[in-house]
Amino acid sequence: MVSADDVKQVLVVGAGTMGHGIAELFAVAGYKAFIADINKQILDSAMEKIKWSLSKLAEKGQLKESVDAIMSRITPIVSINPDGTFSNELAAAASQVDMMVEAATERIDVKQALFKFIDQHRKGRIIMATNTSSLPITEIASATSAPELVIGMHFFNPPPLMPLVEVIRGEKTSDDVVQSVVEISKRLGKQPVVVNKDVPGFIVNRVLARFLNTACWLVAKGRFSVLEVDSTVRYSLNFPMGAFELADYSGIDVFYLIAVAMAQRGFKQTPCPLFEQMYKANSLGMKTGKGFYEYPKPGAYVRPQIPKDLAGKVDPVLLIAGAVNEAAWLLGNNIASRDDIDKAVKLGLGWPKGVFELADQYGIDAIVAALNQLKQDIGPEYEPVPLLTQMISQGALGVKSGKGFYEYGRYEEVAKSTIVIRYEKPIAWIILNRPSKLNTINVDMINELSQTLDEIEENPDIRVVILTGSGRAFSAGADVTSFTGITPMKAAIFSRKFQELTLKMQYYTKPIIVALNGYTLGGGLELAMSGDIRIASETAMLGQPEINLGFIPGAGGTQRLPRIVGRSAAKLIIFTGDMVSAKDAKEMGLVDSVVPPERLEQEARALALKLAEKPPLALLAAKLAVEMGLESNIWAGLALESELFGLLFSTQDVIEGVSAFLEKRKPKFKGE
């Protein structure tokens, strides 16, 4: 029986980038560590790097001991004799240690030879782990007499900083070895995930391979540019790097060779030709000075300039669909748990949400539709896995249905005479619901909107409001049929009540996102301009056509429109009564983003969920500072900003935000 408590001494074989980092981790955690490599020069360099890294940690106050005390626990040994055979020093270390972690070159013959040697010289039932990122654990274990002691322990680069460790079970790895390595990983300060079956690429590299290959094919087929893909990845999906930016940074050769190794062992993928072409041309990214982007010189990293206005040109669902499909395959085949898969992509890839969380956010039905499109365009590996099709048949579509890979608590829907309210915590959707009349606005709708906003404002479970319309219009404006026989006084009263609603929206205590799904005219545009952020469908048409009926905008159009688009542009829109397209509205700043109609709901939801994670009181303060500041002079605006800035430091949210930053965790704001 192998136990984590029995492990006191560790042998790390390989002193390169990964090996010296792994040895450092063990030494910091109190283990005595041998570090082995083929010559003294490599070992001297490794020891210098470890000392430098420890010094940096000491400067930040992250070490409990002195650098010298930790270094004293690391012993370098030469592993290879001049004739190429393994050394007596390595044999002696193998006979002393309780665990071996191999971090040698990524060649199966090298690893098998090493494991065979360690197996012959080990003192007993020790843990024999490999840090391989792509080679099968079972193949490596086959070189030993005790495959039950062999396990994958895949660290991420750089090991001292990256929190994830993939613990991979070989075909014959024993349960006690798995449990021991999980516990040891935790003692090293890492967060382990367990891979229950020895599949090529484990979790992270399989998911990443699908994501990168999809991104690559979308460019290779000429559908999108590198910048359009990376802008969407960075700014729409909020990933830390664009797909091609990441390939350049890590090395195109690294991803290409891992993909080749995985394919040789059964990973089915239609390889994108761009990676192979760049690999053969030695355009490997930052390390060679040129890849998908250009750099000042080889090894000199300067972050590529990726225009934010290109974000959304690519449907984010297309980019993540392959990754979701792969993750669902891993889950459906019991290779890893849902929570471990999501933890792996968040910690190993730095994604802001797990792959299943993203799938639920965008909708399982949207993911499957994208997969079917990719299957037709690229290859059969995009065939939706049974788990996804089963979820659709069961109506488990994600957030919008209340259940997907996670439970969300089914949304509650309340129907009033002119609107529908859908409570989808932490979001409330208000849907204008007079589709047969293009959601035209009457007194009842104004009253119901005002009353509903008051109700939502008091609901602590709701952080963000999304306002949209049903049918083919957001709102075509005021219901002019109700104007028949109206007196000037009653018209003024109607205008005033409508203005009160728009003012309530403008100074509302929670963010309001307006999703423009079609015609947004007259009072509909005035309603939309009162929200904080406007996202428009490509099919939306906007305008203030009141002039064509003999009157002017009466719910703030003459005031808000020039504040948003400028005096001359506002006059042109109001004077002519002409409609403008969503694209033109985006160019003049009237809407903030334009998306295909089928993506409007998911884009609005994604933004709302992002805002819902922010501190509610700070959002309110920022909104008031902007809105009230713009209605006054800069001196009054600056004074208000300063007062609100200071006031926020009396809140629990600031304490939570600062604490989370220092503890390197995600904050949980309560609005207190």
Side-chain angles (χ1 to χ4, degrees), residues 145-283:
S145 62
E148 71 276 9
L149 300 177
V150 179
I151 191 168
M153 191 179 190
H154 180 214
F155 292 83
F156 288 75
N157 190 25
L161 299 181
M162 293 294 283
L164 181 69
V165 173
E166 288 178 318
V167 178
I168 306 102
R169 184 191 294 270
E171 188 177 306
K172 297 183 178 180
T173 306
S174 67
D175 290 343
D176 58 315
V177 168
V178 173
Q179 292 164 6
S180 296
V181 173
V182 166
E183 179 57 33
I184 290 167
S185 299
K186 293 177 180 177
R187 294 178 185 182
L188 295 179
K190 301 302 174 187
Q191 297 192 43
V193 295
V194 177
V195 184
N196 293 313
K197 296 180 184 178
D198 186 10
V199 295
F202 317 137
I203 298 173
V204 171
N205 280 331
R206 289 183 77 97
V207 172
L208 181 60
R210 297 297 188 200
F211 171 70
L212 289 178
N213 202 53
T214 302
C216 184
W217 269 116
L218 293 176
V219 171
K221 286 184 171 289
R223 293 184 58 186
F224 303 101
S225 69
V226 167
L227 285 175
E228 287 172 337
V229 169
D230 274 4
S231 184
T232 298
V233 172
R234 197 198 277 185
Y235 302 117
S236 296
L237 287 170
N238 296 306
F239 288 6
M241 284 185 168
F244 299 101
E245 182 184 5
L246 174 63
D248 271 9
Y249 182 79
S250 300
I252 292 167
D253 55 329
V254 173
F255 292 118
Y256 172 72
L257 292 173
I258 288 176
V260 169
M262 288 168 58
Q264 289 172 345
R265 287 167 174 81
F267 183 72
K268 293 180 173 59
Q269 180 170 271
T270 306
C272 174
L274 296 184
F275 284 123
E276 183 175 8
Q277 290 167 11
M278 301 193 79
Y279 172 74
K280 290 181 176 178
N282 200 41
S283 294

Side-chain angles (χ1 to χ4, degrees), residues 590-607:
L590 186 52
V591 300
D592 300 293
S593 63
V594 178
V595 299
E598 68 274 10
R599 285 172 44 200
L600 181 63
E601 182 176 325
Q602 70 188 40
E603 292 288 342
R605 179 182 287 108
L607 177 58

